[in-house]
Amino acid sequence: MTMKRRKIVVAGGFCLSFFLGTLMNLLFIPGFDHHQSHRGRVHRFYQEQQLLADGRQLQISDPVAAEAVEGYTEPTSSSLQQNDLQQQIRERYEEVLRYRERQASWSGTGNPVRPLERRRLMDLAQRNSYESHKGTEKSSNRYAYSQHLSPLASLYLRSQMEFDVIPGTRNGTQFLGCNSIDNVTNVQYLGSGYTKAVYKAALNDTLSVALKSVDFGGHDMENCVKKYGSTEDCYRLASFKIVKEMTLMERLQHPNILKLYGYCYQDSNDIRDTVTAITELGSPLEMIQLLQTSWEERFRICLSLVRLLHYLAHSPLGSVTLLDFRPRQFVLVGGELKVTDLDDASAEEAVCSAAADCGMEFPARNFTLSCHRGRCMGINEKRNLYNAYRFFFTYLLPHSAPPVLRPLLDEIVNATGELAWGVDDTLIHLEKVFHLYSKGLYLQNNSQLHRAEYKRVPNAAIAGENYRCWPSYQHEGCLLSVFGVREAIAVCESHAQCRAFVMTNQTTWTGHQLAFFKTGSASLSPAPGGVAYVRVSG
């Protein structure tokens, strides 16, 4: 009887533990809150920001981590799926490692990258400490902890030192870390893609930043956990996308690439050292709204984009392509276009044995490039340029441009649509358009510009008497940019309701002045800096 009772107790205990384990998985699996509200996401962000005071960090070039990759031969699980997941993690790690170590020759074009060999004293001290005590108990808690992890988990932990930052400034900018986001306020969920969730937050109620972290309810995590069943390993796989993005932001320094302000590693969701990137904050690129803005602002976006693509074609990493090239991968910062998503960027050139291997397929048409010395010639540059044409140029460049500039803009659109030009030629032609526009050389010498007489009233403004025009910098009135008084007169005479205008002391990015166009001058009043022009004849 005693043996029988023991068997019943053991069986009952097994059933109870199975039930509790199933219940815990249902309650706490990361994908469980995928459809929660924005308020729920922000609440979860605050929960995840219980940051560690020691500021754990990530090193990509640690020799021990490299040894973990090279020496690793047997998977930790006999499951083929686990082998597949671990192989993906190693491949992503090695991709980041290549970008950290890659020393492409500098072509002399664009802006030089800032020095990357920083913080070496700290790195060497930690490495020498490890090497001198190899095989013995480590004094560092992190190294001691890593001895009890699987090779892949140890690899991830040891990869943290690459972004090991001594507190202080870098290139005159304060580098932000865990302490910086410990007490963030006004956290707002902005959105998420396949991998990352992005939040807006205020630091010290003064600086607004974007915080990027792995979305535990996102597509990548949800599908990975469903397929492989390992939340921690799936997180490592997804997080290396953020690490890659931070690496590229460090290596690629350009005004049209979003700035990396800092990062933080913290424990959250029962996972050690989850990563949060702190970046410059931009506003989403809304194409419908852009089509309603002035040609000058739309041209600025296209010029910014080509300047970026020119830099990427000659970057310190070689020619870089944006594999996920869509408007949603860009933001506007002060009117300037910046790429925000670099986790799908690649500096790998396509290999080939013949031209047939160098095909580029797009929805509207295909291209075949030449194969030279086993590489597809200019495929990264050409892919970027054609995507710029089909997503940006065709919509933003020619419409409502000054008449004199339209033939030049049509030529740019046609040449990029046929890939007749490379990015160097495209930039030259766009810079030419910028020169003509910013210097007022696009203005036609037309006698009709002076058919009416205007009375000049200095230090004056017209408070009311507004009318709407398109495209205006102000919704309720007609506020346009002009090169000078001559162009303002031409604009006023092209509007049937215009009887006066005010030249303000505000300028646009090209140096043009902003001018208010009015239906009359009855509300003329003193205003320092403004100059009113009232039509008196014609």
Side-chain angles (χ1 to χ4, degrees), residues 465-523:
E465 303 179 69
N466 292 316
Y467 67 91
R468 293 182 180 181
C469 66
W470 183 88
S472 174
Y473 282 86
Q474 188 182 79
H475 180 67
E476 295 300 326
C478 185
L479 179 63
L480 302 175
S481 71
V482 293
F483 180 72
V485 175
R486 178 185 168 196
E487 185 177 11
I489 292 175
V491 171
C492 186
E493 293 183 354
S494 69
H495 296 172
Q497 63 271 57
C498 180
R499 303 298 299 176
F501 61 89
V502 178
M503 300 292 291
T504 73
N505 55 8
Q506 295 175 284
T507 58
T508 67
W509 69 282
T510 62
H512 281 46
Q513 282 183 271
L514 291 178
F516 276 109
F517 294 88
K518 305 287 184 172
T519 59
S521 58
S523 58

Side-chain angles (χ1 to χ4, degrees), residues 63-79:
V64 180
E67 183 180 343
V69 175
E70 296 172 1
Y72 186 79
T73 56
E74 293 296 330
T76 59
S77 170
S78 59
S79 166

Side-chain angles (χ1 to χ4, degrees), residues 30-96:
F32 197 73
D33 63 350
H34 180 52
H35 301 291
Q36 65 183 347
S37 66
H38 291 181
R39 182 185 298 273
R41 285 182 178 271
V42 173
H43 178 68
R44 185 181 69 199
F45 172 83
Y46 273 118
Q47 289 181 322
E48 292 175 0
Q49 300 308 310
Q50 303 302 313
L51 308 177
L52 296 180
D54 59 0
R56 296 184 182 87
Q57 284 143 8
L58 185 83
Q59 172 164 0
I60 295 302
S61 58
D62 190 343
V64 180
E67 183 180 343
V69 175
E70 296 172 1
Y72 186 79
T73 56
E74 293 296 330
T76 59
S77 170
S78 59
S79 166
L80 292 178
Q81 287 187 332
Q82 284 297 321
N83 290 345
D84 179 44
L85 176 58
Q86 292 167 359
Q87 178 63 26
Q88 291 181 55
I89 294 174
R90 287 195 298 273
E91 288 174 354
R92 253 182 213 179
Y93 170 88
E94 291 165 352
E95 180 186 20
V96 177

Side-chain angles (χ1 to χ4, degrees), residues 89-200:
I89 294 174
R90 287 195 298 273
E91 288 174 354
R92 253 182 213 179
Y93 170 88
E94 291 165 352
E95 180 186 20
V96 177
L97 184 63
R98 286 196 300 274
Y99 288 126
R100 294 308 307 179
E101 296 180 341
R102 188 164 183 171
Q103 298 293 332
S105 60
W106 180 249
S107 64
T109 58
N111 297 325
V113 71
R114 67 190 180 196
L116 298 169
E117 302 301 330
R118 49 176 165 48
R119 308 179 301 277
R120 290 306 170 199
L121 289 178
M122 177 176 285
D123 291 352
L124 290 173
Q126 289 168 335
R127 291 178 190 175
N128 291 338
S129 173
Y130 177 82
E131 291 168 359
S132 62
H133 297 86
K134 192 173 183 179
T136 64
E137 183 179 0
K138 311 298 183 293
S139 58
S140 168
N141 290 334
R142 291 174 61 209
Y143 284 135
Y145 172 77
S146 67
Q147 290 180 322
H148 304 288
L149 300 177
S150 66
L152 287 177
S154 178
L155 176 152
Y156 182 79
L157 183 62
R158 294 181 186 281
S159 70
Q160 292 181 17
M161 292 300 298
E162 178 59 31
F163 282 96
D164 199 1
V165 177
I166 298 175
T169 60
R170 194 180 338 171
N171 286 351
T173 302
Q174 182 72 33
F175 199 82
L176 305 178
C178 291
N179 292 336
S180 303
I181 61 174
D182 197 10
N183 297 307
V184 293
T185 58
N186 300 324
V187 176
Q188 301 175 35
Y189 168 73
L190 297 181
S192 59
Y194 279 92
T195 306
K196 294 171 292 191
V198 184
Y199 301 85
K200 174 184 177 181

Side-chain angles (χ1 to χ4, degrees), residues 116-408:
L116 298 169
E117 302 301 330
R118 49 176 165 48
R119 308 179 301 277
R120 290 306 170 199
L121 289 178
M122 177 176 285
D123 291 352
L124 290 173
Q126 289 168 335
R127 291 178 190 175
N128 291 338
S129 173
Y130 177 82
E131 291 168 359
S132 62
H133 297 86
K134 192 173 183 179
T136 64
E137 183 179 0
K138 311 298 183 293
S139 58
S140 168
N141 290 334
R142 291 174 61 209
Y143 284 135
Y145 172 77
S146 67
Q147 290 180 322
H148 304 288
L149 300 177
S150 66
L152 287 177
S154 178
L155 176 152
Y156 182 79
L157 183 62
R158 294 181 186 281
S159 70
Q160 292 181 17
M161 292 300 298
E162 178 59 31
F163 282 96
D164 199 1
V165 177
I166 298 175
T169 60
R170 194 180 338 171
N171 286 351
T173 302
Q174 182 72 33
F175 199 82
L176 305 178
C178 291
N179 292 336
S180 303
I181 61 174
D182 197 10
N183 297 307
V184 293
T185 58
N186 300 324
V187 176
Q188 301 175 35
Y189 168 73
L190 297 181
S192 59
Y194 279 92
T195 306
K196 294 171 292 191
V198 184
Y199 301 85
K200 174 184 177 181
L203 303 184
N204 300 322
D205 295 322
T206 56
L207 176 65
S208 292
V209 297
L211 304 176
K212 295 184 178 183
S213 58
V214 172
D215 187 357
F216 280 86
H219 179 275
D220 278 0
M221 280 294 294
E222 202 168 59
N223 284 4
C224 181
V225 173
K226 183 177 180 180
K227 182 175 181 179
Y228 299 110
S230 173
T231 302
E232 184 165 359
D233 284 347
C234 285
Y235 176 84
R236 301 304 176 208
L237 180 65
S239 67
F240 271 120
K241 281 193 172 183
I242 295 181
V243 176
K244 174 186 174 182
E245 186 165 270
M246 292 195 301
T247 298
L248 290 176
M249 285 180 175
E250 281 281 281
R251 294 298 311 269
L252 303 175
Q253 299 293 305
H254 190 266
N256 299 111
I257 296 177
L258 209 67
K259 294 178 183 177
L260 177 68
Y261 287 155
Y263 60 91
C264 176
Y265 286 89
Q266 79 252 18
D267 293 349
S268 67
N269 284 40
D270 297 325
I271 296 178
R272 184 179 175 87
D273 291 333
T274 63
V275 60
T276 299
I278 311 169
T279 72
E280 189 176 15
L281 178 68
S283 58
L285 202 64
E286 301 290 347
M287 295 300 290
I288 299 300
Q289 294 179 7
L290 286 179
L291 293 175
Q292 303 174 40
T293 60
S294 67
W295 174 82
E296 184 178 344
E297 294 304 314
R298 288 185 274 117
F299 175 72
R300 182 181 189 180
I301 289 172
C302 294
L303 180 60
S304 297
L305 179 58
V306 174
R307 286 172 174 171
L308 168 66
L309 298 188
H310 181 267
Y311 172 79
L312 293 180
H314 306 283
S315 86
L317 299 177
S319 182
V320 176
T321 186
L322 304 176
L323 296 175
D324 190 3
F325 196 118
R326 292 173 294 169
R328 64 177 297 179
Q329 309 299 339
F330 299 86
V331 295
L332 291 176
V333 180
E336 195 81 6
L337 185 77
K338 298 197 178 193
V339 62
T340 180
D341 202 332
L342 290 173
D343 57 10
D344 287 313
S346 174
E348 306 299 327
E349 293 281 0
V351 297
C352 59
S353 56
D357 300 328
C358 298
M360 290 195 305
E361 297 183 359
F362 298 95
R365 61 173 304 172
N366 301 330
F367 298 92
T368 301
L369 305 180
S370 59
C371 178
H372 181 68
R373 295 183 179 178
R375 299 287 178 180
C376 297
M377 288 295 294
I379 191 168
N380 287 349
E381 172 187 334
K382 297 283 189 179
R383 182 184 290 111
N384 285 343
L385 193 57
Y386 188 78
N387 278 325
Y389 155 79
R390 70 190 187 105
F391 284 117
F392 290 89
F393 297 168
T394 54
Y395 302 107
L396 303 182
L397 262 186
H399 309 298
S400 70
V404 172
L405 300 179
R406 286 174 192 169
L408 300 176

